[in-house]
Amino acid sequence: MAGNDWINGYLEAILDVGSSLRKRNDGKLKIARFEESKEKEDKSFSPTKYFVEEVINSFDESDLHRTWVKVIATRNTRERSNRLENMCWRIWHLARKKKKIAWDDAQRLARRRLEREQGRNDAADDLSELSEGEKEKGDSNPSEPVRDFTRINSEMQIWSDEEKPRRLYIVLISIHGLVRGENMELGRDSDTGGQVKYVVELARALANTKGVYRVDLLTRQISSPDVDSSYGEPIEMLSCPPDGSGSCGAYIVRIPCGPATSNQSFLLFLQSPREQVNGGKPTWPYVIHGHYADAGEVASHLSGALNVPMVLTGHSLGRNKFEQLLKQGRLSREDINATYKIMRRIEAEELGLDASEMVVTSTKQEIEEQWGLYDGFDLKLERKLRVRRRRGVSCLGRNMPRMVVIPPGMDFSYVTKQDSLEGDLKSLIGSDRTQTKRNLPPIWSEVMRFFTNPHKPTILALSRPDPKKNVTTLLKAFGECQRLRELANLTLILGNRDDIEEMSNSSSVVLTTVLKLIDKYDLYGQVAYPKHHKQSEVPDIYRLAAKTKGVFINPALVEPFGLTLIEAAAYGLPVVATKNGGPVDILKALNNGLLVDPHDQKAIADALLKLVADKNLWTECRKNGLKNIHRFSWPEHCRNYLSHVEHCRNRHPTSRLEITPIPEEPMSDSLKDVEDLSLRFSIEGDPKLNGELDAATRQRN
Ligand SMILES: O=c1ccn([C@@H]2O[C@H](COP(=O)(O)OP(=O)(O)O[C@H]3O[C@H](CO)[C@@H](O)[C@H](O)[C@H]3O)[C@@H](O)[C@H]2O)c(=O)[nH]1
Ligand SMILES: O=P(O)(O)OC[C@H]1O[C@](O)(CO)[C@@H](O)[C@@H]1O
């Protein structure tokens, strides 16, 4: 039986290896393990023994044993041989099948292990990519704004002009400060500064973006003899571009709020669907965007009442300010809270954070070192959720606002070609000190009249007269550095003032301290501190400092972003800036200056000296700033903004809300046009719309 030879070897192996049969508890004989074989295992590998062990050890086949008993009982040799062959084949087949199953399991396990490993690697890549994506990339093609700060999710659609015609209605809310579109009074008080400029320029830029039909910037109506009547106008159309030629669909809407901001007033305004888009059908805001703690709290109420996604921008954060003021050591915790109501502000910021789908920050640093201080935000969880969303894994039950870095832009319409560094200045400071009657900016004379030697480079500081801006430390650094005083003058533009006594307490303290320090260090003839300047003169102030080969400095204790730094760069002025806050990322992008510890007076003086004295460094920084400033572009900002807002969890009012109108008071004429905005008080929520809608659907209703 040549065909059966292998069987003999196989059977011999079964017999040779030996086996002890053990009575199974269920009465069946179970082929036991080959303990002996373990002990006697010879060093050389025997495939037969291995196979036999595999077959016998690896499965318990009772009926196989019954067959075996029958086979050995078979007398007919031929019959027995056939049965033996069949049995061996069955054993062999079973063993192979078993091994195949084990192999498949092993393969499946290996594949799952590989997938999990891949998933972990992807997640790690995503996380590292996230941190990479937010890191400054190398210089790119100067003609193309670089998305340094803003990381667009690879799957996320970039907002493009090719979008099907959309007619989005966006609501921005910025409550405090004096808000108007032209000739802003920035620096007039602690609440009228960069944020006012930011929201007005954002409203214009969004309205100028294809697909956006209307932008309403909601703020408080302020009617008071102390301020210009323009702040009492119920509605102001924003000219686009700012030279007043035509409208782009951006409006400032001033809501009568009484002494305190009432959510109700804003709610009533927003709950009348806007009839400007989609052929007169009421349209809900696509998004409600709150700016700063106060508007963040109001927006959170409106977002909840209207079921419209909310976006938040901090501009400046209470926890961060609190930390820096404590570090400065001049005020106790109680004094800080009494002065700034800082705990109430932080509460509002936490509420806004909790209600937001997305937080727009100006820098990566703002996420990690400013929002990272808040209960309502956890950096690691936000990143994990972002990775999960990207991998299509459900995030239900886990809410954390998405943080997106989209730095503000700049209105470049005032930036002319690079001014030559010669020319005007010579005529301005001729030997007889009389200004030649050329069309030189009047503000130049206003500044230069303070200086004994106007030929020296001027160090420029421009900010609201707010303690946080740390101007007093700058003055001490300048006053105590003889070398710096010999080399340079100092210009302080600290808002507009008539009478220091009539200013807010914090502004009054800052300005009084400035005057005392000028006197203490006898800086007369070396420091300029003009009382007034117009908004339109700010570019010329930067230009003047650049013409003198001066330096811009922002020594703030903490600067969430620092619009003045990008403005200075746009006018060719190298900068020295606080290392606390947004300037870290700004200088990374612009590569146009030096960072300092705002608490270190000597470091401030040394940095200023370095830039004023080293003309090569000064020229290099000027050149870099001019080359890289394009990265701060409002059109780019808006494309990124809309791309991210598109992915906010979209919701839609699903209930009919009857709002009882406030009893009508006789409306002044000026309010008539507000009425034209269809201030109706009932909303037609479509009850059948119970689910969440995607952005496109939402816009159709
Ligand atoms: O006398 C002055 C003082 C300021 N400004 C302008 O006001 C703005 C000031 O903005 P910024 O330097 O950014 O400071 P803040 O007023 O404190 O602005 C807050 O809001 C800004 C926008 O989010 C952030 O960049 C800041 O970090 C944040 O503190 C700039 O455009 C200045 O040109 C004037 O025109 N005249
Ligand atoms: O953190 P602070 O001191 O309130 O600074 C932020 C202030 O600056 C501004 O952004 C200037 O516009 C105000 O809106 C805001 O009150």
Side-chain angles (χ1 to χ4, degrees):
M1 262 190 312
N4 285 338
D5 287 354
W6 65 273
I7 294 175
N8 297 331
Y10 174 70
L11 292 175
E12 275 157 29
I14 290 179
L15 303 173
D16 289 352
V17 167
S19 72
S20 59
L21 300 182
R22 186 176 306 135
K23 196 177 268 310
R24 275 177 42 158
N25 54 15
D26 55 7
K28 288 182 184 165
L29 284 177
K30 178 186 173 198
I31 298 174
R33 297 178 61 76
F34 284 78
E35 287 79 11
E36 302 88 310
S37 61
K38 296 296 169 227
E39 286 143 31
K40 292 181 204 151
E41 192 163 47
D42 54 14
K43 295 298 164 261
S44 65
F45 172 70
S46 151
T48 310
K49 272 189 189 161
Y50 167 75
F51 192 75
V52 166
E53 285 221 350
E54 278 295 295
V55 167
I56 302 266
N57 275 344
S58 56
F59 65 92
D60 179 4
E61 186 47 63
S62 53
D63 71 337
L64 204 54
H65 182 261
R66 279 197 299 277
T67 308
W68 170 271
V69 170
K70 285 178 191 161
V71 165
I72 53 176
T74 306
R75 294 195 181 289
N76 178 305
T77 311
R78 185 174 182 72
E79 173 64 18
R80 187 164 74 176
S81 169
N82 288 344
R83 286 189 172 209
L84 267 178
E85 185 176 341
N86 175 277
M87 191 185 83
C88 289
W89 185 86
R90 281 177 61 200
I91 293 175
W92 181 73
H93 177 68
L94 273 172
R96 281 178 53 81
K97 189 175 163 202
K98 187 73 182 169
K99 197 171 274 307
K100 175 87 176 56
I101 291 168
W103 173 255
D104 290 348
D105 286 350
Q107 285 292 72
R108 199 168 27 258
L109 280 175
R111 264 199 309 279
R112 276 186 60 73
R113 253 198 312 275
L114 195 63
E115 279 171 10
R116 275 203 300 274
E117 191 59 31
Q118 189 59 41
R120 273 195 292 276
N121 293 342
D122 289 355
D125 288 350
D126 282 346
L127 286 179
S128 62
E129 185 196 330
L130 285 182
S131 57
E132 284 311 308
E134 287 159 358
K135 271 185 195 136
E136 169 58 15
K137 291 188 181 62
D139 264 354
S140 65
N141 168 8
S143 62
E144 183 56 37
V146 178
R147 295 195 183 94
D148 285 340
F149 298 85
T150 304
R151 201 188 157 287
I152 297 284
N153 197 327
S154 46
E155 296 80 50
M156 194 176 285
Q157 288 303 313
I158 306 294
W159 188 272
S160 69
D161 291 350
E162 290 70 52
E163 285 288 317
K164 49 188 175 309
R166 308 278 293 275
R167 302 165 67 84
L168 302 184
Y169 169 48
I170 294 175
V171 169
L172 309 177
I173 307 178
S174 182
I175 293 174
H176 61 255
L178 297 172
V179 182
R180 69 182 180 192
E182 313 300 335
N183 194 25
M184 299 177 216
E185 296 183 84
L186 303 181
R188 172 186 162 123
D189 57 58
S190 283
D191 282 348
T192 306
Q195 178 177 326
V196 170
K197 183 174 203 172
Y198 180 113
V199 294
V200 169
E201 291 186 355
L202 173 61
R204 277 201 179 100
L206 278 173
N208 259 325
T209 306
K210 196 168 181 183
V212 176
Y213 186 83
R214 173 160 173 138
V215 179
D216 279 345
L217 168 54
L218 308 189
T219 189
R220 292 176 64 173
Q221 184 183 50
I222 303 176
S223 302
S224 157
D226 301 332
V227 299
D228 188 89
S229 60
S230 58
Y231 300 113
E233 285 304 313
I235 189 161
E236 174 188 345
M237 183 185 78
L238 289 177
S239 60
C240 297
D243 65 7
S245 59
S247 154
C248 54
Y251 297 83
I252 296 176
V253 180
R254 297 183 180 89
I255 310 278
C257 292
T261 307
S262 83
N263 302 322
Q264 185 70 7
S265 324
F266 285 79
L267 190 57
L268 286 175
F269 173 80
L270 279 180
Q271 281 176 336
S272 56
R274 298 277 158 278
E275 291 204 359
Q276 313 90 340
V277 293
N278 299 343
K281 281 171 59 181
T283 296
W284 294 88
Y286 184 65
V287 65
I288 297 175
H289 186 165
H291 292 263
Y292 198 78
D294 46 6
E297 185 169 80
V298 170
S300 68
H301 288 280
L302 301 186
S303 165
L306 301 178
N307 222 354
V308 169
M310 175 186 164
V311 173
L312 176 66
T313 296
H315 291 281
S316 172
L317 293 173
R319 287 194 191 279
N320 204 249
K321 178 171 182 172
F322 200 7
E323 197 179 66
Q324 290 300 329
L325 285 172
L326 284 173
K327 183 175 176 182
Q328 194 184 37
R330 290 186 190 150
L331 292 171
S332 71
R333 190 177 285 273
E334 294 68 26
D335 291 343
I336 294 171
N337 196 37
T339 308
Y340 298 102
K341 305 286 181 295
I342 205 89
M343 295 320 288
R344 175 68 187 96
R345 170 175 168 183
I346 291 169
E347 180 193 28
E349 288 164 342
E350 293 281 7
L351 285 171
L353 190 55
D354 188 50
S356 296
E357 307 287 341
M358 178 170 95
V359 174
V360 175
T361 72
S362 298
T363 62
K364 176 179 165 241
Q365 182 273 353
E366 188 180 339
I367 299 176
E368 294 163 357
E369 294 174 36
Q370 299 182 46
W371 284 114
L373 300 172
Y374 284 76
D375 301 338
F377 176 66
D378 176 280
L379 185 62
K380 284 196 172 56
L381 177 56
E382 192 263 349
R383 287 187 166 177
K384 281 192 181 127
L385 292 180
R386 200 181 326 180
V387 170
R388 283 173 68 94
R389 271 194 293 272
R390 178 170 305 117
R391 299 173 55 70
V393 177
S394 164
C395 295
L396 285 177
R398 302 171 176 85
N399 289 310
M400 180 67 65
R402 275 186 299 130
M403 291 282 170
V404 288
V405 179
I406 316 180
M410 221 199 102
D411 178 358
F412 290 102
S413 55
Y414 297 100
V415 180
T416 57
K417 62 179 179 35
Q418 290 181 33
D419 303 335
S420 73
L421 288 179
E422 305 310 320
D424 301 338
L425 206 52
K426 284 200 172 63
S427 59
L428 178 66
I429 44 178
S431 52
D432 59 359
R433 292 282 315 216
T434 53
Q435 178 186 341
T436 52
K437 292 299 166 228
R438 291 180 50 196
N439 58 346
L440 293 182
I443 191 67
W444 286 11
S445 310
E446 183 58 23
V447 169
M448 298 305 245
R449 69 189 174 88
F450 284 85
F451 297 135
T452 309
N453 175 358
H455 294 277
K456 294 196 287 189
T458 191
I459 295 165
L460 171 64
L462 185 151
S463 70
R464 293 175 291 116
D466 185 298
K468 178 178 86 166
K469 298 299 183 178
N470 198 28
V471 173
T472 50
T473 304
L474 167 62
L475 259 173
K476 290 175 186 167
F478 183 77
E480 294 173 15
C481 180
Q482 200 49 39
R483 180 97 178 89
L484 196 55
R485 292 176 60 164
E486 287 161 6
L487 273 181
N489 291 318
L490 178 61
T491 298
L492 304 178
I493 305 294
L494 302 176
N496 283 285
R497 64 186 182 272
D498 293 317
D499 181 347
I500 292 179
E501 295 301 320
E502 288 168 7
M503 299 181 85
S504 70
N505 183 48
S506 60
S507 301
S508 166
V509 166
V510 169
L511 287 160
T512 306
T513 309
V514 164
L515 296 178
K516 287 179 179 173
L517 288 169
I518 289 171
D519 190 63
K520 172 183 176 183
Y521 294 112
D522 191 7
L523 295 175
Y524 297 103
Q526 294 175 17
V527 180
Y529 38 102
K531 291 177 67 129
H532 297 101
H533 67 283
K534 296 191 194 76
Q535 186 57 35
S536 56
E537 292 177 316
V538 170
D540 288 323
I541 295 171
Y542 287 117
R543 286 195 187 98
L544 176 62
K547 284 188 181 303
T548 67
K549 293 195 170 48
V551 175
F552 181 79
I553 179 160
N554 176 336
L557 295 175
V558 58
E559 189 61 79
F561 180 68
L563 291 175
T564 52
L565 293 169
I566 60 177
E567 293 165 6
Y571 296 102
L573 201 49
V575 303
V576 170
T578 173
K579 67 181 180 56
N580 294 337
V584 173
D585 288 32
I586 294 176
L587 267 64
K588 242 186 237 170
L590 296 178
N591 191 21
N592 70 329
L594 305 171
L595 291 172
V596 292
D597 176 349
H599 301 279
D600 184 343
Q601 205 176 288
K602 186 178 180 312
I604 292 173
D606 290 347
L608 289 169
L609 209 48
K610 185 176 173 68
L611 262 174
V612 165
D614 182 339
K615 286 309 165 206
N616 291 335
L617 178 63
W618 186 90
T619 305
E620 182 68 17
C621 288
R622 168 186 163 84
K623 186 164 61 67
N624 289 344
L626 289 169
K627 181 182 77 164
N628 296 318
I629 189 58
H630 64 81
R631 298 180 176 192
F632 296 90
S633 131
W634 278 122
E636 182 68 16
H637 177 103
C638 292
R639 274 193 292 278
N640 292 332
Y641 177 92
L642 292 169
S643 303
H644 282 287
V645 165
E646 182 95 60
H647 288 262
C648 282
R649 197 153 37 91
N650 298 300
R651 296 168 291 176
H652 191 282
T654 56
S655 60
R656 186 185 299 278
L657 273 180
E658 290 300 331
I659 300 288
T660 46
I662 294 174
E664 293 284 317
E665 288 155 12
M667 256 185 221
S668 66
D669 288 348
S670 65
L671 280 175
K672 282 295 175 212
D673 41 1
V674 181
E675 190 184 44
D676 294 347
L677 287 174
S678 70
L679 268 174
R680 284 204 300 272
F681 296 102
S682 69
I683 53 174
E684 301 301 322
D686 180 337
K688 66 177 182 295
L689 289 176
N690 290 313
E692 294 192 349
L693 297 166
D694 63 54
T697 317
R698 182 155 53 86
Q699 283 307 313
R700 276 199 298 275
N701 295 303

